[in-house]
């Protein structure tokens, strides 16, 4: 049951990543802050001199994503695949960071322009890197929260049409659909104001953190009830 809660939490984060990437790409000069594959491709085209394709922000986003992932990995250490209090720390930090960035975007004039936009995309990429590293530690197959390419490959190659048994097709399908709907939602929030989408992401990450944390608490409670500590009396 706990792993199902973990899966639900990661699917929720997959939706929020769709929002994040839509906001970064459409609102902040074609930068992916969650999907680094997209950034690498954009960076390659930009370095080739393609007109209107940025170089600085995708490059910095890639660097800061790696920094965020490295720091997250250092904090988490060898905790195994189960939820840990350090996992709560990482996801809580991502939620607080996104909330702070929503305030930043709300108060800074023209936050998408110049240095202000570069700071935003770099900081958000670091947060997404930390999130991705924490999600990877949990080892929920086919759900990384930041990319669905391998998920789509698995969905197609293991399908009955391909002669497979459609293993884990529900979670794979949900991951693809949720990142798609998340991108749609993120693009829609840009019609209102840039800060709104990031604020929603902060709420979603906070909700995912609560789901995961409470799920692990319930697991610990059941384990203690099943194996009580002998009394010394």
């Amino acid at each position: 049951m706990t792993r199902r809660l973990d899966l639900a939490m990661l699917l929720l984060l997959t939706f929020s990543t769709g929002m994040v990437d839509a906001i970064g790409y459409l609102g902040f000069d074609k930068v992916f802050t969650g999907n680094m594959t997209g950034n690498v491709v954009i960076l390659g085209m930009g370095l080739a001199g393609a007109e209107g394709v940025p170089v600085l922000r995708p490059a910095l986003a890639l660097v800061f994503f790696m920094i965020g992932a490295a720091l997250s990995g250092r904090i988490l250490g060898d905790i195994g695949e189960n939820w840990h209090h350090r996992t709560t720390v990482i996801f809580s930090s991502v939620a607080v960071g996104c909330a702070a960035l929503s305030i930043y975007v709300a108060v800074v004039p023209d936050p998408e322009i110049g240095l202000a936009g570069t700071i935003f995309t770099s900081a958000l990429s670091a947060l997404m890197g930390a999130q991705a590293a924490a999600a990877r530690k949990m080892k929920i197959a086919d759900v990384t929260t930041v990319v669905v390419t391998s998920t789509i490959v698995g969905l197609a190659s293991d399908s009955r049409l391909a002669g497979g048994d459609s293993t884990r097709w529900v979670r794979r399908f949900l991951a693809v659909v949720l990142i798609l709907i998340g991108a749609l939602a993120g693009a829609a929030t840009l019609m209102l104001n840039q800060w709104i989408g990031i604020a929603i992401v902060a709420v979603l990450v906070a909700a995912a953190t609560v789901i995961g944390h409470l799920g692990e608490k319930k697991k610990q409670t059941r384990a203690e009830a099943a194996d009580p500590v002998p009394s010394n009396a």
Side-chain angles (χ1 to χ4, degrees):
M1 184 64 176
T2 303
R3 296 303 280 176
R4 289 184 179 179
L5 285 175
D6 290 344
L7 173 60
M9 183 271 293
L10 293 185
L11 287 172
L12 183 58
L13 291 179
T14 301
F15 173 85
S16 70
T17 299
M19 291 190 66
V20 161
D21 274 337
I23 292 167
Y25 188 86
L26 297 175
F28 290 84
D29 194 26
K30 298 182 177 67
V31 179
F32 290 109
T33 54
N35 178 9
M36 289 301 113
T37 302
N39 265 347
V40 171
V41 173
I42 289 174
L43 183 58
M45 293 187 294
L47 290 172
E51 185 177 355
V53 179
V55 171
L56 178 61
R57 286 187 186 177
L60 287 175
L62 181 60
V63 169
F64 277 91
F65 185 94
M66 293 176 68
I67 291 173
L71 289 174
S72 180
R74 171 66 70 175
I75 293 170
L76 292 169
D78 187 18
I79 62 171
E81 64 185 36
N82 291 322
W83 191 280
H84 191 274
H85 70 269
R86 295 181 191 176
T87 313
T88 301
V89 169
I90 294 298
F91 286 123
S92 296
S93 299
V94 174
V96 171
C98 288
L101 285 177
S102 70
I103 296 172
Y104 172 82
V105 170
V107 300
V108 173
D110 300 320
E112 74 280 4
I113 297 175
L115 180 61
T118 302
I119 290 173
F120 171 82
T121 54
S122 298
L124 189 54
S125 293
L127 294 173
M128 292 299 103
Q131 171 186 296
R136 183 174 181 271
K137 283 281 186 182
M138 300 177 71
K139 297 181 181 178
I140 299 291
D142 301 306
V143 185
T144 67
T145 77
V146 292
V147 66
V148 293
T149 302
S150 59
T151 305
I152 293 172
V153 171
L155 182 63
S157 64
D158 292 340
S159 67
R160 297 193 184 280
L161 181 64
D165 56 3
S166 294
T167 303
R168 297 190 295 270
W169 77 269
V170 174
R171 72 171 62 174
R172 290 168 171 172
F173 178 76
L174 285 175
V176 175
V177 169
L178 285 171
I179 205 167
L180 172 65
I181 298 175
L184 176 62
T189 61
L190 288 175
M191 299 178 186
L192 301 174
N193 198 294
Q194 294 148 318
W195 71 267
I196 294 175
I198 302 302
I200 292 174
V201 168
V203 172
L204 292 174
V205 176
T209 304
V210 171
I211 291 172
H213 184 75
L214 292 181
E216 186 59 27
K217 282 288 186 181
K218 289 181 179 179
K219 179 181 177 182
Q220 292 176 359
T221 300
R222 287 196 298 268
E224 291 171 359
D227 186 21
V229 177
S231 173
N232 293 325

